[in-house]
Amino acid sequence: MKTKLFNVAGFPSVIGCIDGTHIPIQSPGGDNAELFRNRKGYFSINVQVVCDADLKIIDIVSRWPGSTHDSTIFNASFIRSQMTPVANPATAAEHRYNSHIKTRNIVERAIGVWKRRFPCLSLGLRTTINTTVSVIVATAILNNLAIIPYEHIDNVDDFGEAEDQAIEENPNALGNAVRNTIIDTYFN
C-alpha cells in the first residue's frame, strides 16, 4: 500500500489519507440542535475519513456535530497519535513534509466515490442521530466491500498486542519518531 501512495507524489511511508466531510441530517431537535448546524448553515454530522490508495475507507469517526471543526476531530482521534504534521515548521524540509496535497487528493476522491455510491450521504439522512451514525459507518463498510473482492479480505485479528501496548504508553512518540525520520531522510 505504501508503494501505491508513494507513486502518487513521492511521499514515503504513507498508508492512508485523511479528510473530513459533512453528512447532511435533519435537525435533531432539542437543546443541542444548533450544535449540528455547520458553517454552511445546514445540519450535519462531521465525519473524519482515512482511506488507502485503493479508495477503501480504513478508518472512520462518525459522531461529531456539524459545528465541530475538522482539527478538533483530528486532535481527539487515535489517528493523530500515529502521524502528525509538524505544528510549527521551521526548516524547508518540514515545510515540504507538511505540503502533501497531491497525496491527500486521494481521500477527496474516495469520499466522492462513497457519496455517489450512497446518495443518502449527500442528500441527507432523516433518522435519529444514533441511527444516522450507524448508517454512515455501515455505508463505509459496504463501500469497501464493493471495492474489494471477498477472497482478498484478511483476518482482522492480525493486530499484535505488543504494538498496541507500545502505542498506548506514549501515543505521540512513535508517530513523531517516524515523522522525523521521514523528514530527515526524504525532505532534507
Side-chain angles (χ1 to χ4, degrees):
M1 197 53 56
K2 289 180 183 180
T3 303
K4 285 183 178 181
L5 285 167
F6 178 81
N7 290 337
V8 172
F11 199 92
S13 298
V14 175
I15 59 169
C17 301
I18 188 170
D19 199 8
T21 188
H22 287 268
I23 306 298
I25 62 170
Q26 69 180 2
S27 171
D31 294 338
N32 295 325
E34 285 304 310
L35 290 174
F36 290 88
R37 189 180 303 275
N38 65 31
R39 63 183 172 81
K40 294 186 178 178
Y42 63 90
F43 294 100
S44 68
I45 299 284
N46 194 350
V47 180
Q48 177 179 278
V49 175
V50 179
C51 77
D52 66 13
D54 295 325
L55 308 183
K56 291 182 300 208
I57 297 169
I58 58 175
D59 186 72
I60 186 167
V61 177
S62 171
R63 63 184 169 100
W64 292 88
S67 66
T68 309
H69 194 276
D70 288 353
S71 65
T72 301
I73 298 169
F74 177 71
N75 288 332
S77 72
F78 177 73
I79 294 298
R80 182 182 187 278
S81 68
Q82 301 303 300
M83 179 69 76
T84 61
V86 178
N88 298 305
T91 68
E94 290 174 346
H95 281 283
R96 282 194 299 277
Y97 171 83
N98 275 0
S99 63
H100 39 273
I101 292 170
K102 252 178 122 174
T103 305
R104 194 180 150 281
N105 180 272
I106 291 170
V107 72
E108 293 172 0
R109 286 186 20 235
I111 290 170
V113 167
W114 177 42
K115 286 184 170 184
R116 281 189 300 281
R117 186 170 277 136
F118 298 96
C120 64
L121 300 176
S122 294
L123 300 174
L125 295 165
R126 300 179 57 80
T127 57
T128 65
I129 295 298
N130 289 338
T131 301
T132 296
V133 168
S134 296
V135 167
I136 292 168
V137 173
T139 60
I141 293 167
L142 291 170
N143 182 69
N144 288 352
L145 290 174
I147 293 171
I148 55 176
Y150 288 132
E151 63 268 14
H152 291 108
I153 297 177
D154 295 329
N155 187 349
V156 294
D157 295 329
D158 291 341
F159 299 104
E161 266 186 47
E163 290 178 15
D164 290 342
Q165 289 172 351
I167 290 169
E168 288 173 12
E169 290 170 9
N170 191 349
N172 289 326
L174 178 61
N176 290 344
V178 171
R179 177 194 67 202
N180 293 339
T181 300
I182 290 170
I183 290 170
D184 291 342
T185 305
Y186 296 97
F187 294 95
N188 267 327

